[in-house]
Amino acid sequence: MFPMWTGISFRIGEKMAENSVEKESDSKQDKVVDMLLSSASEKTLDSESMILETQKRVWGALKKGYQYSGVADESDIFLRKNVFSKLDLVVLYVDLVGSTTMTLEMPEEKIAIIISSFAQEMAAVIRQYEGYVLKFVGDAVIGYFDAQSNGLLASDNAVNCAKSMITVIQKGINPILNQYDYPDLMVKIGVDFGKNIVVRYGADEQQSHVDVMGPAMNIAAKIQNMAKPNQILIGQDVYQRLHPNFQRDFVEVIWKQDEWKYRSRVTGEIYKVYEFKG
């Protein structure tokens, strides 16, 4: 009887060892996946310093007409390298709410300073999250994040960027504006993921205007237009690429009848949109 039990014990021990190896392998795989998914969350930005720097720049702009120093147009360089290529991008639209009302109530020069400061600060946040600033359109800023090599990281970065934008406005810009009796700024943010093509309008490789076109650009703009003040809305294709910890902060938007008609580019069903509730 003893040898039989020994054999069984050996097989049980062998099986336990195999399970242990499998669990260790699974654990390693989980860690690798988690690392890829959450690398953006591990990237901690010093928000206090960011807010203080924002306040310093905005105060200078209001007090002395301070103009922001320019930086190399990284987006232009990136796009010219990829002219006529189809790229996976996460697109972010941030639009200033209530600028029309401000133009009716404030001097033109102050409006110009406020909108310029807002746009430059939003651009600074985009760059901090490894994104590119595509362009300024009136009182809106359009940014994008290169998702060719890692769509998960680009999606996390874009969402974190959107959150930081609202923080910078509420804790950085608005306290300075309040000192001058100016109204608080609020924004609407829309984010979407998809393939976009880089186009160049002209034959001159260095001087002809370059831009980005594609469904993600269009849907991000439409999502942003549907957002409420200080609300972040993201498309389904972004939501699916977020780290699970980030997904918990979002809930699906339930639209009223015919309020949202856009359909998924893949399934043909109504394209889901999610709002940030964290």
Side-chain angles (χ1 to χ4, degrees):
M1 294 294 293
F2 182 77
M4 181 179 69
W5 282 105
T6 301
I8 292 173
S9 298
F10 176 78
R11 287 193 294 274
I12 292 173
E14 188 178 47
K15 187 65 176 176
M16 290 174 65
E18 288 176 358
N19 290 338
S20 177
V21 170
E22 288 176 0
K23 287 180 179 178
E24 183 179 352
S25 176
D26 290 342
S27 177
K28 287 181 178 178
Q29 289 178 358
D30 290 343
K31 288 178 180 177
V32 170
V33 171
D34 193 62
M35 180 180 68
L36 287 171
L37 288 170
S38 66
S39 54
S41 63
E42 292 173 358
K43 176 186 175 183
T44 56
L45 296 175
D46 186 347
S47 59
E48 289 187 6
S49 295
M50 183 169 61
I51 290 168
L52 288 173
E53 288 299 316
T54 295
Q55 291 180 337
K56 186 189 303 181
R57 288 190 294 264
V58 174
W59 182 86
L62 291 171
K63 189 76 173 178
K64 306 174 183 178
Y66 172 78
Q67 295 191 7
Y68 290 76
S69 57
V71 295
D73 194 341
E74 297 167 345
S75 173
D76 190 74
I77 295 170
F78 174 80
L79 294 179
R80 290 189 190 282
K81 287 180 180 177
N82 292 281
V83 167
F84 304 128
S85 298
K86 287 185 177 180
L87 308 177
D88 285 331
L89 302 175
V90 182
V91 180
L92 181 152
Y93 272 71
V94 54
D95 185 58
L96 186 61
V97 177
S99 59
T100 302
T101 302
M102 283 194 294
T103 59
L104 299 174
E105 299 176 352
M106 298 172 61
E108 293 84 352
E109 62 274 12
K110 294 298 183 184
I111 289 293
I113 291 173
I114 289 174
I115 291 181
S116 174
S117 298
F118 155 77
Q120 293 294 335
E121 293 303 331
M122 295 302 96
V125 178
I126 291 171
R127 293 188 190 100
Q128 286 200 20
Y129 284 94
E130 300 180 7
Y132 295 94
V133 180
L134 179 63
K135 54 189 170 183
F136 304 118
V137 184
D139 55 3
V141 182
I142 306 172
Y144 63 92
F145 300 77
D146 182 8
Q148 296 175 95
S149 59
N150 192 337
L152 309 179
L153 178 59
S155 297
D156 282 357
N157 279 345
V159 168
N160 278 328
C161 175
K163 295 177 189 176
S164 289
M165 284 176 164
I166 292 179
T167 298
V168 163
I169 289 169
Q170 292 180 333
K171 297 183 179 181
I173 298 177
N174 285 343
I176 301 300
L177 294 181
N178 293 161
Q179 294 180 27
Y180 289 83
D181 295 324
Y182 295 151
D184 286 345
L185 300 186
M186 293 185 290
V187 295
K188 300 189 297 181
I189 302 177
V191 186
D192 197 34
F193 171 96
K195 240 176 226 317
N196 299 267
I197 186 168
V198 181
V199 295
R200 186 180 67 226
Y201 297 93
D204 191 322
E205 295 182 2
Q206 300 303 318
Q207 299 299 324
S208 294
H209 177 66
V210 288
D211 206 345
V212 176
M213 296 177 61
M217 294 290 295
N218 297 332
I219 296 298
K222 296 181 186 303
I223 289 174
Q224 172 269 312
N225 192 52
M226 298 296 293
K228 299 172 184 176
N230 285 348
Q231 186 180 45
I232 300 169
L233 296 183
I234 66 173
Q236 180 178 345
D237 290 339
V238 176
Y239 176 82
Q240 291 174 341
R241 288 169 172 80
L242 290 181
H243 187 281
N245 290 340
F246 291 171
Q247 287 182 341
R248 297 188 190 105
D249 293 334
F250 286 84
V251 295
E252 184 181 347
V253 176
I254 306 301
W255 303 105
K256 297 177 183 177
Q257 188 175 10
D258 295 331
E259 189 178 14
W260 179 257
K261 302 178 181 179
Y262 298 94
R263 297 186 175 274
S264 168
R265 300 177 284 273
V266 178
T267 66
E269 299 177 354
I270 293 295
Y271 187 59
K272 294 181 180 179
V273 176
Y274 297 80
E275 62 176 317
F276 177 64
K277 287 291 189 180

